[in-house]
Amino acid sequence: MQLNKSILIVEDEEVIRSSLAEFLTSEGYETMQASTVAKALELARDRDFNVAICDVQLPDGDGIELLRRLQNIKPSIFVLIITAYATVENTISAFKAGAFDYLVKPVIFDDLSHKLNRLFEYQKIFYENQILRRELARSPGIEEIVGSSKALQKLQSTIRKIAATNSNVLLSGESGTGKELFARSIHSNGPKREQRFLAVNCGMRPIELLESQLFGSAASSLQYPQAEQTGVFKNADGGTVYLDEISQLPLGTQGKLLRAIEYGEILPLGSAEPVKVDVRLIASTTQDLAEMVKTGEFEQDLFYRLDGMKIHIPALRERVDDIPELVEYFIAKHSRKMGKRVTGATSETIRALMSAEWKGNVRQLDNAIERAVMMCDDTLICLNDLPPELHQNEPPLPDVDDLRLALRHYERMHITRVLKDSADKREAAKRLKLGLSSLYRKIEELDIELD
């Protein structure tokens, strides 16, 4: 018995439509019915169907044209055409339009069952090949930056320009935005791409252990029992060192790092002889380093050395248009890892993901999709597969077809959320990329209630 497969039946003859629905339901399929082109398109916009079974002759249109319009709405849908006469012309027209197969009236249920079994087997192979092609196209995956939003395109353009140089780089942005991913992209597109890329978390304590990891140490130079250590800077000689959260480096260590940048040499712990190194430094921070310089928590000269080539990584809420592509990428990654055949997410799920706050940014989205793939019992992730906090308080969708009213609804919802999350209207306007006066006009136009 087939389970969790959804079929749209489009047939104007009630007896045929009902008998098809009854048979398919008894076989374990989920079915919905439409007697017109208009109703079929309405259902297809609101629901995700694996298959549509469409009559050629319908009261308000042609089944072949409906086939084309369905595939424009949902490219993943497979269509079976029902025709009263299996003429060569009808068959050719159906296949040219993208039909998977056809049925001749009166429909023989055994024939229908056989064609559906073959269709779903083909669909499974088709989706697996899609996933494989996506993974091959993204090789090497760890350096692939997923998305095509304007914010990301602008960022990638900047990265391409900076990557071509040997300049040191500072990446700023919220936690979870993927700063190491962008650092690896800079390295892999730069002149040192053939050399090593080594990453260090600067939050490591104690200080001596961190400095030993960075600059190396002579034998028995530490109180910790260990042999001589070369250090990351020497091991990455000729390549790139990535320092994650550089704001956490102690001031003394910052001075040693400055020397490594200015003179290209390091002094291993316990050694009297400096060691020459040639590395490109990429650092990241979630803190405002300029403010830390003012408070004396960060070395001013080191800040100037890094701040000249500064790249801000946008938060996920600033690149919402990338969420569908990121979801697709993470589904493919986690499905392969877990050995599951999850191929995508329902439209309702994507809408919920695009309206979420994502305080943990891309990392939080990755974790949410990993959990969803684990919970999913079908080929498509649905709302209930997501972590509860992502869908339990989802704002209601506008029950309107008018695009202008729908956009007004989402604009109101988005501005209200940003206002609640901001310290004041000035900060909210800055986050919304609006002038303060423009924000006040929006509040009045959209009738936004302020606490």
Side-chain angles (χ1 to χ4, degrees):
M1 178 179 286
Q2 304 287 342
L3 295 175
N4 298 316
K5 301 293 196 318
S6 183
I7 299 177
L8 173 63
I9 303 167
V10 189
E11 167 62 63
D12 61 326
E13 294 186 45
E14 186 178 352
V15 174
I16 297 176
R17 190 173 69 247
S18 299
S19 61
L20 283 172
E22 185 178 351
F23 169 72
L24 292 172
T25 302
S26 70
E27 289 291 297
Y29 296 102
E30 296 176 0
T31 64
M32 293 199 75
Q33 303 174 42
S35 59
T36 63
V37 169
K39 182 63 176 176
L41 293 173
E42 179 187 339
L43 290 172
R45 290 188 185 99
D46 293 337
R47 295 284 301 273
D48 289 287
F49 295 100
N50 301 98
V51 178
I53 301 175
C54 302
D55 191 5
V56 170
Q57 300 296 329
L58 293 164
D60 59 340
D62 175 64
I64 302 297
E65 181 58 30
L66 172 60
L67 186 161
R68 295 190 181 97
R69 294 177 70 181
L70 283 174
Q71 292 184 330
N72 283 334
I73 295 171
K74 297 284 169 60
S76 59
I77 198 168
F78 283 68
V79 180
L80 292 176
I81 288 291
I82 304 177
T83 178
Y85 306 100
T87 64
V88 173
E89 291 79 7
N90 282 347
T91 306
I92 290 173
S93 297
F95 283 127
K96 278 187 175 179
F100 179 82
D101 210 333
Y102 69 94
L103 299 161
V104 181
K105 290 182 180 179
V107 177
I108 300 170
F109 289 155
D110 285 345
D111 184 35
L112 172 59
S113 184
H114 172 72
K115 289 180 185 290
L116 285 174
N117 286 336
R118 190 162 63 88
L119 184 154
F120 282 116
E121 186 61 32
Y122 174 84
Q123 196 176 59
K124 180 181 73 174
I125 296 169
F126 175 79
Y127 285 141
E128 287 174 349
N129 286 339
Q130 272 194 326
I131 291 170
L132 180 60
R133 283 197 299 271
R134 285 197 298 264
E135 292 306 301
L136 289 174
R138 285 178 174 146
S139 180
I142 197 164
E143 286 145 7
E144 177 63 22
I145 298 173
V146 179
S148 52
S149 65
K150 288 184 179 179
L152 194 61
Q153 287 176 10
K154 183 179 179 182
L155 178 58
Q156 287 174 314
S157 175
T158 302
I159 284 176
R160 278 193 293 271
K161 293 173 185 175
I162 290 180
T165 72
N166 268 320
S167 300
N168 300 319
V169 182
L170 176 64
L171 303 176
S172 66
E174 296 177 9
S175 178
T177 50
K179 292 187 287 295
E180 182 170 342
L181 182 70
F182 287 95
R184 289 181 182 274
S185 180
I186 292 169
H187 169 75
S188 62
N189 287 284
K192 297 180 183 292
R193 65 176 68 87
E194 302 300 327
Q195 306 301 319
R196 301 184 75 180
F197 175 99
L198 295 179
V200 177
N201 183 342
C202 295
M204 180 185 291
R205 294 294 186 269
I207 295 173
E208 282 189 335
L209 193 57
L210 173 60
E211 291 193 356
S212 174
Q213 184 183 10
L214 289 173
F215 310 121
S217 60
S220 306
S221 64
L222 297 176
Q223 57 181 329
Y224 309 102
Q226 62 176 46
E228 180 178 347
Q229 184 167 322
T230 309
V232 166
F233 272 82
K234 187 60 182 174
N235 283 331
D237 195 13
T240 302
V241 171
Y242 170 63
L243 300 182
D244 183 28
E245 202 51 75
I246 194 171
S247 61
Q248 295 185 30
L249 273 183
L251 278 170
T253 310
Q254 290 177 30
K256 295 178 182 180
L257 177 61
L258 179 61
R259 183 170 186 83
I261 294 173
E262 288 186 334
Y263 299 104
E265 63 181 32
I266 56 172
L267 187 66
L269 269 69
S271 174
E273 290 294 324
V275 177
K276 284 288 183 182
V277 290
D278 173 26
V279 300
R280 180 179 200 172
L281 180 69
I282 303 177
S284 71
T285 180
T286 58
Q287 305 299 314
D288 185 343
L289 294 187
E291 195 60 37
M292 292 181 68
V293 169
K294 291 179 183 177
T295 58
E297 299 171 272
F298 200 82
E299 179 75 43
Q300 179 173 286
D301 289 341
L302 178 58
F303 170 70
Y304 290 141
R305 281 286 184 176
L306 295 172
D307 196 55
M309 286 292 182
K310 183 178 178 181
I311 301 176
H312 176 71
I313 310 300
L316 188 54
R317 64 178 173 273
E318 297 168 4
R319 43 180 291 218
V320 174
D321 291 346
D322 291 329
I323 288 178
E325 288 182 65
L326 286 163
V327 169
E328 180 183 322
Y329 176 77
F330 290 137
I331 287 174
K333 181 179 81 168
H334 294 302
S335 295
R336 185 184 67 250
K337 186 170 65 176
M338 297 180 198
K340 300 190 74 171
R341 288 174 176 160
V342 181
T343 57
T346 65
S347 300
E348 187 182 25
T349 303
I350 294 294
R351 287 197 297 267
L353 293 171
M354 291 183 74
S355 64
E357 293 188 24
W358 299 119
K359 293 182 179 178
N361 291 295
V362 178
R363 184 186 296 127
Q364 184 188 0
L365 176 61
D366 187 6
N367 292 337
I369 298 302
E370 182 177 20
R371 190 256 193 199
V373 170
M374 189 184 305
M375 301 299 293
C376 184
D377 294 322
D378 200 354
T379 56
L380 294 178
I381 291 172
C382 64
L383 271 181
N384 289 334
D385 298 322
L386 297 176
E389 64 272 14
L390 292 180
H391 63 84
Q392 284 183 347
N393 298 316
E394 184 189 4
L397 296 172
D399 188 20
V400 293
D401 293 327
D402 189 316
L403 180 60
R404 289 169 299 178
L405 292 177
L407 289 172
R408 178 183 172 88
H409 170 89
Y410 284 114
E411 191 174 19
R412 186 178 191 275
M413 183 177 69
H414 181 69
I415 292 175
T416 301
R417 179 183 63 78
V418 173
L419 282 165
K420 286 180 179 179
D421 290 346
S422 302
D424 52 36
K425 294 185 188 68
R426 191 174 299 279
E427 181 189 330
K430 185 177 179 182
R431 286 174 58 181
L432 290 163
K433 303 293 190 293
L434 291 173
L436 188 58
S437 59
S438 298
L439 175 58
Y440 275 107
R441 279 197 301 274
K442 287 288 185 184
I443 291 171
E444 185 176 349
E445 287 171 12
L446 300 171
D447 193 26
I448 296 173
E449 295 181 7
L450 300 176
D451 294 335

